[in-house]
Amino acid sequence: MVKFVLNNKFIRSDDPPATLLLDLIRYREHLTGTKIGCREGDCGACTVLIGELKGDRVVYRSATSCLTAIGNVHNKHVVTIEGINREDGGDLNFLQQAICEEGASQCGFCTPGFLVSMTGFCLNENEPTRAAAIAAVDGNICRCTGYKSIERALAKLTTLLATRTSSDVLEFAISQKILPGYFTSIPRRLAQLALEPNGVLHGVPATDARDSATSNPIFLGGGTDLYVQQPERMVRSHPAFLNIDPSLQQITESAGELRIGGGVTVTQLLESPLIHRAFPHFPHYARLISSTPIRNIATVAGNFVNASPIGDLSVFFLALDARITLSDGSTRRVLPLNKFFKSYKTLDKGPGEYVESVHLATPQPNTRFNFEKVSKRTCLDIASVNTAIQLTVDGDTIRQAHCSAGGVGPIPLYLQKTSQFLAGHQISAALVDAAIDSALTEISPISDVRGTAEYKRLLLGQLIKAHFITLFHHLPEEEWL
Amino acid sequence: MTRDTKHLDAPAHTRGESIYLDDIPLISGTLFGVAFGSPIAHGNIRELHLNEAIQCPDVIRIFTYKDIPGENQIGGIIPDEPLFAETHVHYCGMPIAFVVATSEAAARHAVSKIKVDIDPLPVVTDPREAQANNDLIVPPRTFRLGDTTAAWQDCVHIIEATTETNGQEHLYIETQGSYALPQENQAIRVYSSTQAPTATQRVISKITGLAMHAIDVEVTRLGGGFGGKEDQANAWAAMCALACRHLRAPVKYSLPRTDDMVFTGKRHPYSADFKLGLDADQKIRAYEVTFYQNAGAAADLSPAVLERTLFHCTNTYYIPNVRATAYSCRTHLPPNTAFRGFGGPQGMFVIEAAIAKAAETLDIPAIEIQRANLICSGDEFPYGQKAVSEAHACWQKAETLYDIDTLQEEIGEFNAKHRLSKKGLAFMPICFGISFTKTLLNQARALVHVYTDGSVSLSTGAVEMGQGVNSKMIQVAATVFSIDPTLVRIQATSTQRIANTSPSAASATADLNGKAVEMACTAILQRLRSVAAAELQANPESITFLDGLVHIDGIPTVLHWKQLIMAAYIRRVSLSEHSHYATPQIHFDYTKEKGHPFAYHVYGTAIVIVTLDCLRGRYTVDAVKLVHDAGASMNPTIDRGQIEGGVVQGIGWMTMEEVVYDEKGRLRSNTLSAYKVPDIYSAPAEIALEFLHTDHDNLAVFRSKAVGEPPLMYGIGAYFALRNAILAFNPTAQIPFDAPLTPEKALMGLYQKQPTHVAG
């Protein structure tokens, strides 16, 4: 049995844990404010908030309910638009009023999703800047308004949130009637739920977890790839829920090594002080990686295991010379990430194995890192080409280099030859040109919906240039062209 | 007039309480349908294997053309499109069968078990190839003004080239869908996400063999339409109604996104050849253009779209000698259809490309040619109508208000300073004709009831799809009656309440239906005036209504609206009115291709500024600065929303939105992860909007000009601004006129080494 609180109501569902939250919300609970736009996490019409008890507070994050298994909201609080509405009749709360006043709702189909995302923004403890407000709705697509009216409504909201003095964001939201009062009862109710027997939710090891199609064990992280690739198979499966194991969600550092649990989400990376220290520009890269509600649930291991040739995190960690620990519950083994990808969508991974963690050397003062990605739409899109580089430098001399590229071969590529070539050389435009020539010998892009092979070759070269221009901007621009 | 009225649907939208098709509570026993579409684009069906599918659990029945009691035909303009393929398939996704089961999942599973043997035939996806094969939907049409052949002699510069514009996915966030419920005596009620309830009703009637009076199509609202649900909502409604008729059970089909993208047509891609001639003063003397419209496999609305391409082939310029020919070419793609602008944008792109090419050839800014050729009042369009022009007023206001000299100076400085980043600027003036070009469609009706408590019920043929038409209808009624808008309620659009409606399309919905509402309310008010005169023993001429009170000679009396209504009822005076409006003055002679097809034109000027990352090829639209001819806007909030939304949709069409079919006619951009529409980061950082407020008499409702489609064409400016940015980096680049200008094409242009051959 899966148990959670949906808005102001306890849900104890006998539906299979792999059932999609969206379907439960709309077709079991008949809460039709949560809309279906695409069922692949690309429009945000089905956005909900998922609240998780952390100490005596509930931390809320937006998520796309179309890719969320109900097992992943076990013991959590799920908030739909209906749970945000004021309880005192048909009145509008501050956000709803702002949307109406600015004409930011036209056909209205995307509107509940935007409001849920905006509510998530109100419950975020970070500074309520204009940029943060826009980032909160970066997973919501509107086809009518052109977004300017939505930006105007967001501006009203940030002005209000700027008056917030206490760190208790929930109390502020309730006092401003952005949220109904029942939210204060949620921590107690989630604590109560957690005390009840756990029911039939599988964790790891995947003793009883079974894929409906193959009878192999199946593991579910955030679900953002699995439910896009094979929704019908997934909903009939009995996966092991990686999220119930807290050890998979930790980021730790010891002896010069960063260890990131396989179940860590992109948002957890973004919020980790360790990651921030190691990669100060991570927020800049993360903006190019999917959208807020996806980043909130998509995991590091999921991105690896999906084996997409353009997986952003695969490319990111390949350039960090990362290693991964695979486990089947009893036996562990470690292998370099660049050996994990064997051929198109084929991994060095047994059916019972899952990615427990990824490890990398903590960047030192003389290491330089950069990530680049270009897609048809800058944000919330799959890369045409992405690439990352890590250089260990001594002045202008490269001591060691690791370079990766996605979208230019059947797997996310570690550019072995190019990485080796760069080591020991002094940085110059000529060196970069030679590195590009080398990289072009290592890739085999194909023409597809994300671009022609010719374009991808040109683009990878440009992005390698971009690495050096970004990292060594004291060198004159003219040299690079 | 309460001009600050907001979108009256919005409060319920923000509470998630508005009802869309998939939100309608299901009646017990509802069945679910899923269509099976052809897996290949062109061929002869040898055999359809339904055995395995029919044996799947929970499957009730599978429908094919053999189950159609009426006529297997859904073509609107031309009867060339079957609901279900019989012996031939003409495009990938062409419906062959409709599986009905007790759940959507069961129906979908059964669809996956259907097999069909098809002998493939050659697939044509290129409209020029179809034209060469003489495979046309309708005979070609040509608009002529003056004599181009003679005019070339007066030209100092003659410019020729080829252009391409790709299609565009509507991407309404609510997909297509329908829900059919059996009623007594064979009748069927159909809920449909349709822009054209009457067309949907007509198609259902044809398929089921039932008379139109037995079919009620009702629509509360759409989660976006943009033209995609003008003609292409009909097939799903007809499938559900057909199954409902056979099974006497409610049947629903709400399309998953990929079904929607694969099965439905899009904005028409066009290929075109132009020849433009200018004299020494940069006056355009002659323009010849040939359009090759990629119609897809059936007519759908293509002939009408084709016509509007011709109407707008000279955009907002006066050209004394024009010859424009257009071919509607039959290819093996899903039938392309209406999309905001309806062929107009495709026509305008070509003349703008011609001017850009002329400017590059003459090495002068395009702005100079654009400005020198704007149409003046009294100038003739190629179709014979004389302009009542605001083109100069909009352009000049934009130049001064936004200080074009400073803008250009700043861009010049930026470009001189930055090696890896360039800005580009383009002007995009527009002129768009308002009315259905098919004159007969320019009619509408309204039904107004005033109840004895003073509340007002309003029904029209307008379909609310986000454009705010319902709010405007309520404004009209509240203004005529001079009562609070909260007393007026607009009812769901229903073919039982309003018959023989025109689609909500052509930007004309508020005008047509608003005029009908105005007429109906005025007629009721006229009767109320007599009642008030009798009640107050005053001269009817002295009676006026203001803010819910009866006035005599401008002085308020104690008689308020509710009392007056009750008095009218007691005196047995009718409190209901059904009115009919037909746009006056418009006509068109197809034999001569001349006439006066538009009630009026909407003008405007946009300045678009972009910044291009010359290292990576990606770009941002910094600003769109507009002067838009709104007439006397009756609702600036709604109109601003239409303008901003249209601009961004137009920018999407010109930049990132790329419909991709492979050579076998299969849609590759068939999901939201493969087809990108603008997100919040893609919207221009600034959209500055100034209304050109004019009080000239026109045929718009309350002189508030139509606003639905015209702003989309401002987005074309983004293409030319980007092109200018590329040329600022790589002045020798030969950039083909091939929209959208994706980051890929931008990068290829930036680093083009040798000029590629450009056709023409």
Side-chain angles (χ1 to χ4, degrees):
Chain A
M1 179 180 289
V2 177
K3 310 162 293 159
F4 58 101
V5 181
L6 176 58
N7 299 330
N8 196 10
K9 179 182 172 186
F10 278 113
I11 301 286
R12 292 181 174 81
S13 173
D14 288 323
D15 286 338
T19 302
L20 283 169
L21 180 58
L22 173 62
D23 291 328
L24 180 138
I25 289 169
R26 282 186 62 83
Y27 303 121
R28 285 242 186 245
E29 295 300 317
H30 305 292
L31 297 175
T32 53
T34 306
K35 304 298 182 195
I36 302 173
C38 68
R39 282 190 181 271
E40 57 169 331
D42 264 313
C43 78
C46 68
T47 306
V48 297
L49 296 182
I50 299 174
E52 192 174 0
L53 195 58
K54 295 269 163 87
D56 58 356
R57 280 192 186 189
V58 178
V59 175
Y60 287 94
R61 306 240 187 255
S62 59
T64 50
S65 62
C66 67
L67 302 178
T68 299
I70 58 171
N72 270 337
V73 299
H74 191 59
N75 289 344
K76 295 179 186 173
H77 183 208
V78 175
V79 186
T80 69
I81 186 68
E82 290 86 354
I84 290 167
N85 286 335
R86 288 174 66 164
E87 294 162 306
D88 47 2
D91 285 352
L92 302 182
N93 72 25
F94 181 88
L95 306 185
Q96 292 166 328
Q97 239 162 19
I99 292 277
C100 292
E101 281 164 9
E102 295 302 333
S105 177
Q106 290 187 18
C107 85
F109 203 78
C110 71
T111 304
F114 269 94
L115 274 157
V116 170
S117 293
M118 288 165 74
T119 306
F121 172 64
C122 296
L123 295 177
N124 192 313
E125 291 176 9
N126 297 334
E127 196 192 339
T129 60
R130 184 176 177 274
I134 288 178
V137 299
D138 65 5
N140 295 90
I141 297 295
C142 170
R143 191 58 157 163
C144 294
T145 62
Y147 301 101
K148 302 313 285 182
S149 50
I150 292 169
E151 289 177 11
R152 292 191 285 271
L154 286 169
K156 283 189 168 170
L157 175 58
T158 48
T159 304
L160 174 72
L161 294 181
T163 67
R164 196 161 66 184
T165 49
S166 129
S167 67
D168 193 337
V169 293
L170 185 68
E171 188 191 75
F172 182 83
I174 293 172
S175 71
Q176 296 295 321
K177 299 199 169 170
I178 290 172
L179 284 182
Y182 78 84
F183 270 75
T184 53
S185 72
I186 298 298
R188 178 179 49 77
R189 291 156 81 182
L190 291 186
Q192 179 195 331
L193 268 190
L195 292 175
E196 293 179 13
N198 191 31
V200 295
L201 207 58
H202 302 298
V204 288
T207 334
D208 301 309
R210 285 290 175 264
D211 178 354
S212 60
T214 61
S215 307
N216 283 329
I218 184 166
F219 303 95
L220 181 65
T224 55
D225 271 315
L226 280 177
Y227 278 99
V228 175
Q229 309 292 339
Q230 29 200 341
E232 281 153 38
R233 176 176 156 203
M234 280 309 299
V235 295
R236 291 195 300 271
S237 293
H238 296 278
F241 285 84
L242 297 173
N243 289 351
I244 39 182
D245 185 343
S247 75
L248 293 179
Q249 289 175 58
Q250 285 167 4
I251 303 172
T252 54
E253 187 180 19
S254 67
E257 186 182 82
L258 271 171
R259 178 196 178 279
I260 299 164
V264 166
T265 63
V266 184
T267 296
Q268 283 169 333
L269 289 177
L270 261 170
E271 294 182 350
S272 156
L274 291 173
I275 297 296
H276 183 74
R277 204 162 62 217
F279 306 100
H281 298 292
F282 191 75
H284 176 72
Y285 316 138
R287 182 176 177 268
L288 303 175
I289 301 173
S290 66
S291 64
T292 297
I294 300 294
R295 288 192 291 266
N296 285 340
I297 53 177
T299 64
V300 173
N303 204 253
F304 297 162
V305 172
N306 171 40
S308 162
I310 29 183
D312 290 321
L313 293 181
S314 300
V315 165
F316 183 91
F317 282 102
L318 278 172
L320 296 169
D321 199 25
R323 283 155 299 121
I324 57 173
T325 301
L326 291 166
S327 169
D328 63 5
S330 53
T331 313
R332 288 191 173 85
R333 66 187 176 106
V334 176
L335 82 163
L337 182 59
N338 72 48
K339 298 279 185 266
F340 188 51
F341 306 106
K342 287 164 65 182
S343 58
Y344 180 69
K345 292 268 179 186
T346 307
L347 298 170
D348 180 359
K349 182 181 104 59
E353 285 184 316
Y354 61 95
V355 178
E356 194 179 71
S357 57
V358 54
H359 319 258
L360 52 120
T362 306
Q364 298 303 305
N366 64 336
T367 47
R368 304 280 179 272
F369 178 83
N370 190 47
F371 174 80
E372 292 282 339
K373 168 177 174 177
V374 168
S375 41
K376 213 172 270 181
R377 184 172 69 195
T378 300
C379 300
L380 181 50
D381 195 0
I382 295 167
S384 295
V385 172
N386 51 9
T387 168
I389 198 165
Q390 181 175 255
L391 300 170
T392 309
V393 294
D394 183 354
D396 275 347
T397 305
I398 298 168
R399 291 293 164 221
Q400 198 181 41
H402 298 292
C403 187
S404 62
V408 290
I411 57 170
L413 290 177
Y414 176 75
L415 300 175
Q416 179 94 36
K417 235 174 68 181
T418 308
S419 301
Q420 272 169 7
F421 166 78
L422 282 167
H425 285 87
Q426 187 151 10
I427 293 155
S428 69
L431 177 76
V432 176
D433 283 339
I436 292 168
D437 288 343
S438 161
L440 294 183
T441 65
E442 295 190 73
I443 62 172
S444 52
I446 54 165
S447 295
D448 60 17
V449 73
R450 309 200 191 285
T452 59
E454 186 194 4
Y455 167 61
K456 291 175 186 177
R457 297 177 74 83
L458 172 63
L459 181 56
L460 178 61
Q462 291 300 113
L463 295 183
I464 290 175
K465 258 183 210 169
H467 284 319
F468 285 88
I469 291 175
T470 306
L471 292 175
F472 305 99
H473 35 73
H474 59 284
L475 297 175
E477 276 190 352
E478 292 76 30
E479 277 199 32
W480 304 102
L481 296 163
Chain B
M1 159 108 12
T2 47
R3 288 183 198 276
D4 61 342
T5 305
K6 305 297 179 201
H7 194 317
L8 295 167
D9 255 7
H13 290 346
T14 63
R15 290 176 57 87
E17 291 169 352
S18 300
I19 304 290
Y20 303 82
L21 184 99
D22 195 42
D23 304 332
I24 297 169
L26 293 184
I27 286 182
S28 151
T30 293
L31 303 171
F32 299 84
V34 175
F36 170 74
S38 172
I40 76 159
H42 190 204
N44 293 320
I45 298 178
R46 205 161 3 98
E47 204 176 344
L48 179 63
H49 305 278
L50 299 175
N51 283 347
E52 198 183 341
I54 196 74
Q55 282 162 25
C56 287
D58 304 322
V59 171
I60 303 296
R61 186 164 163 181
I62 302 177
F63 295 90
T64 67
Y65 74 92
K66 293 175 183 162
D67 301 297
I68 292 175
E71 196 187 332
N72 182 20
Q73 185 52 249
I74 63 168
I77 295 179
I78 297 169
D80 67 348
E81 188 179 358
L83 177 65
F84 294 121
E86 297 185 8
T87 55
H88 291 74
V89 290
H90 299 284
Y91 63 93
C92 269
M94 182 176 183
I96 297 176
F98 187 59
V99 177
V100 175
T102 57
S103 74
E104 197 206 325
R108 185 154 303 287
H109 177 69
V111 162
S112 72
K113 301 296 176 191
I114 297 179
K115 302 278 180 294
V116 61
D117 301 329
I118 298 175
D119 294 327
L121 292 167
V123 175
V124 175
T125 60
D126 175 0
R128 286 176 189 261
E129 189 182 341
Q131 191 267 345
N133 298 340
N134 203 27
D135 205 351
L136 302 177
I137 301 280
V138 285
R141 290 178 64 179
T142 298
F143 282 20
R144 283 188 186 86
L145 183 67
D147 179 357
T148 49
T149 313
W152 299 122
Q153 292 158 15
D154 306 334
C155 297
V156 180
H157 311 286
I158 293 177
I159 314 292
E160 295 178 76
T162 290
T163 70
E164 306 283 340
T165 49
N166 200 341
Q168 185 176 24
E169 192 67 65
H170 300 86
L171 225 115
Y172 27 66
I173 311 289
E174 180 206 28
T175 55
Q176 305 265 5
S178 188
Y179 184 25
L181 310 176
Q183 311 286 301
E184 285 183 355
N185 299 318
Q186 300 297 313
I188 300 174
R189 159 168 291 192
V190 177
Y191 297 102
S192 168
S193 184
T194 177
Q195 288 174 244
T198 293
T200 304
Q201 178 195 28
R202 196 179 290 128
V203 164
I204 294 171
S205 166
K206 199 174 247 184
I207 295 291
T208 58
L210 297 170
M212 284 173 79
H213 70 206
I215 295 148
D216 176 26
V217 175
E218 182 168 310
V219 47
T220 301
R221 69 171 59 72
L222 315 185
F226 314 114
K229 297 169 181 173
E230 182 175 344
D231 210 51
Q232 303 218 341
N234 299 343
W236 333 112
M239 288 177 198
C240 291
L242 173 71
C244 175
R245 163 134 214 223
H246 281 284
L247 301 170
R248 302 312 302 159
V251 179
K252 179 176 162 179
Y253 184 21
S254 175
L255 274 69
R257 178 61 63 181
T258 292
D259 278 12
D260 186 300
M261 292 176 95
V262 169
F263 292 168
T264 67
K266 303 155 204 326
R267 183 189 294 286
H268 294 77
Y270 272 65
S271 187
D273 301 320
F274 70 78
K275 182 176 175 186
L276 184 78
L278 295 92
D279 66 16
D281 300 328
Q282 290 150 25
K283 283 276 187 188
I284 302 173
R285 299 296 305 164
Y287 181 52
E288 286 182 357
V289 58
T290 306
F291 296 103
Y292 301 88
Q293 178 200 55
N294 192 333
D300 193 278
L301 295 164
S302 297
V305 171
L306 188 82
E307 184 172 82
R308 199 174 266 278
T309 301
L310 291 171
F311 282 122
H312 295 311
C313 70
T314 54
N315 188 11
T316 190
Y317 307 107
Y318 173 62
I319 305 177
N321 301 287
V322 176
R323 196 191 72 205
T325 298
Y327 296 94
S328 183
C329 310
R330 190 187 305 275
T331 60
H332 300 110
L333 299 182
N336 287 314
T337 192
F339 195 140
R340 202 175 197 171
F342 205 75
Q346 293 96 319
M348 290 186 194
F349 181 86
V350 183
I351 184 70
E352 294 299 329
I355 290 172
K357 174 108 177 161
E360 286 160 22
T361 310
L362 274 60
D363 199 21
I364 56 169
I367 295 170
E368 288 182 21
I369 302 176
Q370 289 174 307
R371 183 172 37 206
N373 290 283
L374 294 173
I375 199 162
C376 298
S377 289
D379 286 345
E380 192 178 335
F381 289 104
Y383 46 93
Q385 185 163 345
K386 296 271 171 51
V388 180
S389 178
E390 306 288 358
H392 290 272
C394 290
W395 182 286
Q396 279 157 10
K397 193 165 186 181
E399 277 203 359
T400 48
L401 181 67
Y402 301 121
D403 193 359
I404 179 63
D405 293 338
T406 306
L407 285 179
Q408 282 179 314
E409 220 167 274
E410 284 169 0
I411 289 172
E413 279 170 21
F414 180 94
N415 287 353
K417 206 183 315 168
H418 294 87
R419 190 69 191 91
L420 292 175
S421 181
K422 299 289 177 193
K423 285 186 187 288
L425 175 146
F427 267 59
M428 183 63 206
I430 62 153
C431 166
F432 196 79
I434 302 302
S435 286
F436 286 97
T437 55
K438 195 166 184 63
T439 303
L440 76 85
L441 292 174
N442 295 289
Q443 54 171 312
R445 281 150 294 280
L447 176 63
V448 179
H449 299 308
V450 184
Y451 293 97
T452 52
D453 66 352
S455 66
V456 178
S457 161
L458 201 56
S459 297
T460 74
V463 172
E464 176 61 48
M465 46 191 168
Q467 83 281 44
V469 68
N470 281 356
S471 305
K472 288 186 173 177
M473 296 304 97
I474 287 172
Q475 274 184 288
V476 171
T479 302
V480 174
F481 287 144
S482 198
I483 56 173
D484 193 284
T486 56
L487 282 172
V488 186
R489 180 187 178 88
I490 192 140
Q491 308 297 344
T493 314
S494 154
T495 53
Q496 279 184 346
R497 278 186 288 276
I498 301 293
N500 309 323
T501 60
S502 294
S504 285
S507 308
T509 315
D511 279 357
L512 295 172
N513 293 280
K515 290 275 190 182
V517 171
E518 187 183 1
M519 287 169 73
C521 294
T522 303
I524 292 173
L525 201 66
Q526 205 51 36
R527 295 197 285 269
L528 290 175
R529 181 171 283 126
S530 305
V531 173
E535 289 283 314
L536 298 169
Q537 291 164 358
N539 178 356
E541 304 299 311
S542 68
I543 301 281
T544 54
F545 302 88
L546 191 65
D547 296 336
L549 277 183
V550 176
H551 288 51
I552 298 177
D553 294 326
I555 298 158
T557 69
V558 294
L559 185 59
H560 61 73
W561 173 256
K562 286 185 185 176
Q563 292 168 322
L564 176 64
I565 296 303
M566 188 49 87
Y569 174 70
I570 290 166
R571 288 168 185 267
R572 298 190 292 166
V573 171
S574 168
L575 290 168
S576 297
E577 186 72 18
H578 181 261
S579 63
H580 171 84
Y581 173 75
T583 314
Q585 298 170 22
I586 53 172
H587 57 87
F588 194 72
D589 182 343
Y590 286 88
T591 61
K592 298 194 177 74
E593 302 286 28
K594 296 283 179 189
H596 188 99
F598 298 118
Y600 56 91
H601 290 84
V602 170
Y603 293 84
T605 295
I607 305 171
V608 183
I609 302 168
V610 302
T611 303
L612 175 63
D613 174 343
C614 301
L615 189 58
R616 302 172 181 86
R618 65 183 177 215
Y619 44 73
T620 52
V621 181
D622 304 338
V624 179
K625 296 168 185 285
L626 301 158
V627 174
H628 181 85
D629 161 29
S633 172
M634 69 188 280
N635 194 320
T637 303
I638 286 177
D639 289 353
R640 172 181 287 270
Q642 287 296 292
I643 291 165
E644 290 173 340
V647 164
V648 172
Q649 209 168 50
I651 291 173
W653 176 50
M654 284 288 112
T655 57
M656 70 185 73
E657 295 189 34
E658 194 170 34
V659 176
V660 182
Y661 287 98
D662 65 17
E663 72 285 355
K664 290 181 174 163
R666 292 174 302 200
L667 183 69
R668 309 316 303 195
S669 52
N670 61 357
T671 61
L672 262 62
S673 55
Y675 184 83
K676 310 315 285 188
V677 297
D679 64 345
I680 196 164
Y681 290 123
S682 324
E686 178 196 8
I687 298 182
L689 170 62
E690 180 79 9
F691 286 118
L692 181 79
H693 185 90
T694 56
D695 281 316
H696 313 311
D697 216 11
N698 62 41
L699 287 172
V701 61
F702 292 166
R703 290 181 285 107
S704 174
K705 283 189 171 183
V707 73
E709 291 168 287
L712 181 126
M713 283 148 271
Y714 294 133
I716 295 172
Y719 179 92
F720 292 96
L722 275 170
R723 188 182 165 85
N724 289 338
I726 296 170
L727 290 171
F729 179 86
N730 182 3
T732 64
Q734 295 285 317
I735 310 160
F737 292 101
D738 183 5
L741 217 168
T742 55
E744 171 169 0
K745 289 182 198 155
L747 195 72
M748 300 310 268
L750 286 166
Y751 292 95
Q752 190 186 80
K753 291 285 190 307
Q754 271 135 16
T756 55
H757 174 72
V758 179

